[in-house]
């Protein structure tokens, strides 16, 4: 059906935009990846790019909800339960990102107050450590939600054969690499393996590009049942 192909192509474009929305904001948030002292000194000066990153992250979550709704509306007769799980995961992702954004903007405000104070004080150092810890765990929770949504998405593609199953399996495997190399190490308090995060980019880009050109694979009609004469 042309409808399935068209919906798949739209979702392919949205997946590529989603990938950009996951990469660019984290680059803009580099001033917050340093220690508490550097955050206090640098976050205020980079407030413009940090606020832009916050907006892009929230917009990306809204885009993810849009992808989930498009999948649900086009597949509710074939895989309604899994489609609803995907939609629920996108809503959780949005809520966690909103909480993470609050922590990010709180650090920016704290940095501005620190710079206005014209010098280091113990209270600012204590608040910076507390704010940084809260934001770190909010971010780790958001990463877990992102991984969960992407894994569910690839499971749905695989089960319904919406793309070649080898391609869906490749995307699922790259997402597992991200979980094993980035998300789990952060939760366990060990150093992440950054290149394993880049591997997931390949899977997402491959699936998104396929959908842009091919759309969803439509199921073949069942052959008519033979009738006994």
């Amino acid at each position: 059906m042309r409808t399935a192909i068209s919906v798949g192509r739209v979702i392919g474009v949205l997946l590529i935009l989603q990938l950009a929305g996951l990469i660019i904001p984290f680059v803009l948030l580099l001033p917050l990846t340093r220690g508490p002292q550097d955050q206090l000194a640098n976050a205020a000066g980079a407030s413009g790019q940090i606020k832009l990153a916050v907006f892009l992250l929230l917009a990306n979550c809204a885009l993810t909800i849009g992808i989930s709704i498009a999948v649900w509306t086009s597949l509710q007769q074939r895989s309604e339960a899994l489609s609803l799980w995907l939609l629920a995961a996108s809503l959780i992702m949005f809520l966690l990102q909103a909480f993470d954004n609050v922590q990010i903007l709180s650090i920016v405000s704290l940095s501005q107050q620190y710079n206005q104070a014209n010098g280091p004080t113990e209270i600012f150092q204590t608040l910076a450590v507390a704010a940084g810890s809260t934001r770190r765990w909010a971010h780790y929770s958001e990463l877990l939600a992102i991984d969960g949504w992407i894994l569910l998405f690839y499971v749905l593609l695989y089960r319904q054969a919406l793309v070649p199953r080898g391609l869906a399996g490749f995307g699922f495997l790259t997402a597992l690499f991200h979980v094993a190399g980035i998300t789990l190490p952060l939760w366990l308090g060990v150093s992440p393996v950054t290149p394993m995060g880049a591997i997931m980019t390949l899977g997402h880009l491959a699936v998104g590009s396929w959908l842009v050109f091919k759309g969803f694979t439509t199921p073949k009609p069942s052959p008519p049942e033979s009738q006994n004469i």
Side-chain angles (χ1 to χ4, degrees):
M1 294 173 59
R2 291 287 301 173
T3 301
I5 294 174
S6 300
V7 170
R9 285 174 173 167
V10 170
I11 290 177
V13 172
L14 294 179
L15 285 177
I16 294 174
L17 291 175
Q18 182 193 49
L19 182 61
L22 290 172
I23 295 173
I24 295 173
F26 289 124
V27 175
L28 295 175
L29 289 175
L30 285 177
L32 296 184
T33 61
R34 304 177 180 90
Q37 180 63 41
D38 289 333
Q39 288 179 5
L40 282 177
N42 299 326
S47 62
Q49 74 179 60
I50 291 173
K51 290 176 181 178
L52 175 60
V54 163
F55 173 79
L56 291 176
L57 286 169
L58 204 61
N60 198 50
C61 289
L63 184 148
T64 303
I65 293 174
I67 295 173
S68 302
I69 292 173
V71 170
W72 175 66
T73 55
S74 61
L75 296 180
Q76 55 183 319
Q77 293 182 346
R78 295 170 57 185
S79 186
E80 183 176 13
L82 193 53
S83 299
L84 285 173
W85 275 110
L86 188 71
L87 179 58
S90 68
L91 293 173
I92 292 171
M93 181 177 160
F94 184 92
L95 293 174
L96 286 174
Q97 186 59 65
F99 179 69
D100 188 18
N101 286 351
V102 170
Q103 308 309 314
I104 292 171
L105 295 176
S106 295
I107 293 174
V108 172
S109 297
L110 183 63
S111 176
Q112 291 170 338
Q113 294 175 17
Y114 170 81
N115 284 296
Q116 291 173 1
N118 295 321
T121 62
E122 289 187 6
I123 185 64
F124 279 113
Q125 299 297 329
T126 302
L127 291 173
V129 171
S133 297
T134 304
R135 192 268 153 169
R136 186 166 57 252
W137 285 108
H139 177 57
Y140 294 171
S141 299
E142 173 63 7
L143 284 179
L144 194 61
I146 292 171
D147 287 336
W149 185 90
I150 292 175
L151 288 170
L152 275 174
F153 180 73
Y154 288 137
V155 167
L156 186 60
L157 293 183
Y158 183 88
R159 288 189 61 181
Q160 297 300 319
L162 298 173
V163 299
R165 280 182 165 155
L167 182 60
F170 173 70
F172 184 85
L173 185 61
T174 61
L176 284 182
F177 275 123
H178 187 274
V179 174
I182 303 292
T183 306
L184 284 182
L186 290 173
W187 274 85
L188 296 174
V190 298
S191 298
V193 184
T194 305
M196 293 183 72
I199 292 175
M200 189 175 73
T201 302
L202 298 177
H204 221 55
L205 187 60
V207 172
S209 298
W210 173 275
L211 288 174
V212 168
F213 290 104
K214 298 289 187 177
F216 283 150
T217 302
T218 56
K220 296 180 180 180
S222 302
E225 297 181 359
S226 60
Q227 297 180 352
N228 296 326
I229 299 176

